[in-house]
Amino acid sequence: MQQEINLNTASNASPDRFMKIGRDPNRAERIERKSLTAWQDIRYRLFANKLAMFGLYLMIAIVLMAIFAPLFSHYNYFSNDLDHTNQAPSFKHWFGTDDLGRDMYVRTWKGAQVSLFVGVVAALIDLFIGIVYGGIMGYFGGKVDEIMNRIAEVLYAIPYLLIVILLLVVMPPSLTTIIVAMSITGWINMAWIVRGQIMQLKNQEYALASKALGAGSFRIIFRHLIPNAMGPILVTLTLTVPGAMFTEAFLSFLGLGVQSPVASWGTMINDGVKAMTVYPWRLLFPALFLSLSMFAFNVFGDGLRDAFDPKLKK
Amino acid sequence: MIRYILNKFIFMFLSLFVLVTATFALMNAVPGSPLQSEKATTEQIQKNMEAYYGLDKPLIQQYGLYLKKLAQFDLGISMKKRFQSVNKMISQSFGYSLRLGIVSIITSVLAGCVLGIIAAMYHRKFLDNLAMVIAVIGLAIPSMVMAPLLQYLFSVKLRMFPVTGLKEPLAYVLPTIALSSVSIAFIARLIRATMIEVLHADFIKTAKAKGLGGHLIVWRHALRNSMLPVVTYLGYLAANVITGSVIIEQIFAIPGMGKFFVQCVIDRDYPLIMGTTIFYAVLLIATRFLADIAYVLVDPRIRISAGKVGG
């Protein structure tokens, strides 16, 4: 005991108790961690995020079911069977039947098709217009940017519900109407994201080099700058999809969207609400899968955003 | 500062003008007259009706007249409910929507802040995870699912709240929860993200070094700085509440503005469509304008020079 305490006192720290280790020339340049490219790092961090991966698997499962479930069923989404209306879930009808005897299992997945279709198409239209508009805005800057930005600002202030209502006066309620209405103002967010990215990137050496070699503006924007801005664009794209899916369900719920007999989660929920107290499964299944897919897309989008954010790196 | 506000004001006006013009153009682009009905009417009656609604004048003149009436806040007369002015129809039902909307906005901000603060204070601990699970659930369950579920569980099964209407204070509870859940979740996540960043800032360390207690730091120093994104979000919150209330009003049978959105489209009641559209557009665009200004007023770090916002 006595000796241990003595070890810690200063008087005992005589030079002969120390040893010089010196520099190891081999260690100075040793790389402790695996060297990762930016995309490898993003992938690694995304895969490490359990919630986001759960969202991704859920997304894939819903997409696969939406494509294949209606194909491998004896039933279809539009045939009435008036002898078997409002059946509870059973082996014959897994999710039960609705008030016209239509199989809820097939209708739920048909609704998933409609929902996903609207989500993906609306997101792709936003992507296309947003990249072109935002790219031009960001690259040319100055007066062009000023004018285009003002136009975007004016449009951005108009809420989509009003656009839908105005459009419904000239167009019949349908998928096309919903998608057109969402696209009229939906692309602006994307355009602003792209603009911000391009403004950051356009003075980078590779863009200048390309310019010096005689590349045209459009080549620089679409071949060099946009690919480098892919991160934020992808994140925005993923988070646009659930928004569009919700809008479709919202409008269909109000009867302003997809019309019968085509199934949509929105119309099915509307029907289900009316019969909720007696036949709860008619509300349960479309509501459950709408919520699940909103959850999956949101969680995955969040995870993707975190993976792209270098500030959150541990 | 004044130039900045003026600038924003001009663009607010421009947005409104675009919307009003687009509304007018679309209404007139539809083939057929809105006054046509199944009943056979004589030519004279048809002409009288057209004259009553000013449809006999040239288009440009109609547009001018419409703008002039709008400037006097006159939205015209409904075509389906004869002789009832759109102004009156809106004012009769707007009260319900307004009350529900205000209650919902207050709830969203309060509940969102509390959840967000708790999550940030107990970052990466159990309470943080719990708050974020609640937020994700709120974000994932759309209002048209949330509302009937709440209604079924608490009103029909447990009989704790009235099933429909807005007659008593207790009746506000379920519609407010259903209407606010998405915004609560959004605000909670917003506050959490900024608060975690703010809590690592130097001035918080100074406050800690000075010896301030944990709660005082959060309330006096961190919260004010974390509120900034929420102020920007308020404009969109108003929009969300308005769009959301269309569904909530339908499910809870509340006689608010929501019914016009669907009914006027089905009825093709043009003055009513134009009236509701413009009424809401003014409301929303004005809220966003106010949110923009509030943001500048709240944040001392933003200095404004020559009408541009810069750091």
Side-chain angles (χ1 to χ4, degrees), chain B residues 1 4 231 291-300 302-304 309:
Chain B
M1 182 71 195
Y4 172 77
V231 175
D292 272 351
I293 291 175
Y295 187 70
V296 181
L297 291 178
V298 170
D299 192 355
I302 296 179
R303 281 193 209 94
I304 292 159
V309 178

Side-chain angles (χ1 to χ4, degrees), chain A residues 25-265:
Chain A
N26 295 324
R27 273 188 75 143
E29 291 296 312
R30 208 172 80 192
I31 292 161
E32 293 282 347
R33 288 193 190 84
K34 219 171 95 187
S35 166
L36 297 172
T37 63
W39 284 100
Q40 277 174 332
D41 183 43
I42 287 159
R43 214 178 318 147
Y44 172 76
R45 286 188 330 183
L46 184 66
F47 288 169
N49 185 341
K50 282 184 202 126
L51 195 60
M53 288 317 283
F54 178 66
L56 179 64
Y57 294 138
L58 205 58
M59 259 164 64
I60 294 173
I62 290 172
V63 170
L64 289 180
M65 282 306 277
I67 297 170
F68 293 111
L71 291 179
F72 294 110
S73 177
H74 318 292
Y75 304 102
N76 58 38
Y77 67 90
F78 51 82
S79 293
N80 301 346
D81 179 0
L82 296 175
D83 292 334
H84 298 95
T85 58
N86 294 318
Q87 301 264 308
S90 63
F91 280 112
K92 216 169 146 217
H93 297 282
W94 290 355
F95 290 180
T97 59
D98 68 2
D99 55 342
L100 293 174
R102 295 176 293 199
D103 182 60
M104 285 289 288
Y105 176 73
V106 175
R107 283 185 71 75
T108 301
W109 294 116
K110 188 73 195 172
Q113 274 179 18
V114 170
S115 219
L116 290 167
F117 177 76
V118 171
V120 170
V121 171
L124 287 180
I125 293 176
D126 286 0
L127 177 77
F128 181 73
I129 306 179
I131 281 185
V132 172
Y133 199 92
I136 293 173
M137 238 187 336
Y139 186 77
F140 291 105
K143 270 270 166 295
V144 178
D145 179 37
E146 184 93 348
I147 292 167
M148 287 173 89
N149 210 357
R150 290 310 184 193
I151 295 173
E153 258 178 45
V154 168
L155 273 180
Y156 192 66
I158 305 172
Y160 77 84
L161 187 64
L162 301 185
I163 295 175
V164 173
I165 287 172
L166 290 181
L167 271 185
L168 283 175
V169 176
V170 263
M171 294 162 84
S174 69
L175 272 187
T176 328
T177 316
I178 295 179
I179 293 173
V180 169
M182 278 193 281
S183 306
I184 287 179
T185 55
W187 56 271
I188 297 172
N189 209 6
M190 180 66 90
W192 278 334
I193 301 248
V194 173
R195 169 178 176 266
Q197 289 292 312
I198 299 291
M199 278 166 72
Q200 270 178 25
L201 296 172
K202 71 177 173 189
N203 290 325
Q204 301 251 319
E205 283 79 0
Y206 61 84
L208 291 177
S210 183
K211 205 173 186 176
L213 287 169
S217 304
F218 283 87
R219 193 185 161 85
I220 296 176
I221 295 176
F222 296 109
R223 291 298 290 274
H224 297 290
L225 299 181
I226 296 289
N228 279 294
M230 226 45 219
I233 292 175
L234 259 180
V235 173
T236 318
L237 195 67
T238 332
L239 290 174
T240 311
V241 177
M245 286 167 76
F246 171 76
T247 309
E248 185 275 322
F250 174 85
L251 293 172
S252 297
F253 179 89
L254 291 175
L256 302 177
V258 179
Q259 302 293 306
S260 194
V262 177
S264 150
W265 285 339

